[in-house]
Amino acid sequence: DYELCEEWGHLYPVPREDLINLHREHLLHLLEMGNMEKALQLLQRIEDPGVCLAISEQSLDQHPNLAASHFLADYLTAHFYASLTTARRNEIQALYIGSKVLLTLPELSRVNYFHLSSRPLLMLEQLLMNMKVDWVAAAVQTLHQLLAGQEIGFTVEDIDNLLSKYAEKALNFPFTLKEKRS
């Protein structure tokens, strides 16, 4: 049905907003089905870069599944980096990095942290608070690799400060140890 509507749009004048809505719904459908190749082909068929940008951004703002969010964040960064505001660029890159961190977690646990995918530092802090040390190690390694030379609103130093803060709390004893005297 989407393809039929797309053909119809080539034959008859369709308002820009309706065209954007059609392509956005088609793109989200393809991404939800896991068909990234067809989704990429759909985006490449769209001739107007402004329409393509609007479709991609609106689709990302609908908070699709993890794979779809990762795909859209990557696509927007690769094709529209210069067209985005600095704040939006940082937001999309944070979502891309957050989705990469989520992919390092065990599959069944990802759903518990998906709501934090656009806030990787907060996700890391949540993992620390939940005592998921092995997961934190994998997440930190991924973050260090992804943050090399990028500016997205937080740095490697911020990660190190967060780890130091929780390491200090782990060593903080609420009572004093008394020596046994004989």
Side-chain angles (χ1 to χ4, degrees):
D1 290 345
Y2 290 118
E3 290 169 5
L4 178 63
C5 289
E6 189 177 336
E7 286 178 34
W8 187 269
H10 290 297
L11 298 173
Y12 298 97
V14 176
R16 185 176 193 268
E17 284 305 309
D18 291 340
L19 196 60
I20 289 172
N21 290 337
L22 165 71
H23 287 306
R24 184 190 66 235
E25 293 303 317
H26 188 192
L27 180 63
L28 287 170
H29 171 74
L30 291 171
L31 292 173
E32 291 295 323
M33 299 300 289
N35 200 337
M36 305 305 174
E37 189 175 321
K38 280 196 173 186
L40 184 59
Q41 290 171 0
L42 169 66
L43 290 170
Q44 290 171 340
R45 279 196 310 268
I46 299 169
E47 295 171 7
D48 183 352
V51 170
C52 191
L53 174 62
I55 292 164
S56 302
E57 278 195 287
Q58 287 178 18
S59 296
L60 185 64
D61 291 340
Q62 298 249 332
H63 305 290
N65 65 33
L66 175 61
S69 295
H70 187 72
F71 171 86
L72 289 166
D74 187 35
Y75 184 83
L76 282 164
T77 303
H79 293 88
F80 296 106
Y81 190 82
S83 303
L84 301 168
T85 64
T86 303
R88 184 66 169 158
R89 203 178 302 150
N90 288 347
E91 179 185 324
I92 290 170
Q93 286 181 320
L95 181 64
Y96 176 79
I97 289 174
S99 63
K100 280 287 230 193
V101 170
L102 271 175
L103 291 171
T104 66
L105 302 181
E107 193 171 338
L108 295 175
S109 301
R110 292 176 189 162
V111 69
N112 297 329
Y113 299 95
F114 181 73
H115 66 286
L116 299 172
S117 60
S118 62
R119 312 234 353 243
L121 261 184
L122 193 56
M123 186 187 319
L124 188 62
E125 187 168 7
Q126 187 70 48
L127 289 169
L128 285 166
M129 288 175 16
N130 290 339
M131 309 274 286
K132 305 293 186 186
V133 180
D134 294 338
W135 298 358
V136 170
V140 168
Q141 184 178 7
T142 300
L143 284 169
H144 278 280
Q145 291 169 356
L146 292 171
L147 287 177
Q150 292 210 17
E151 200 169 308
I152 63 160
F154 67 93
T155 63
V156 174
E157 288 78 29
D158 294 327
I159 295 169
D160 292 343
N161 290 339
L162 182 67
L163 292 173
S164 296
K165 177 178 139 185
Y166 278 89
E168 183 180 314
K169 286 183 179 195
L171 296 175
N172 189 9
F173 295 105
F175 57 90
T176 58
L177 297 174
K178 295 182 181 180
E179 290 182 27
K180 285 187 177 181
R181 295 185 181 173
S182 55

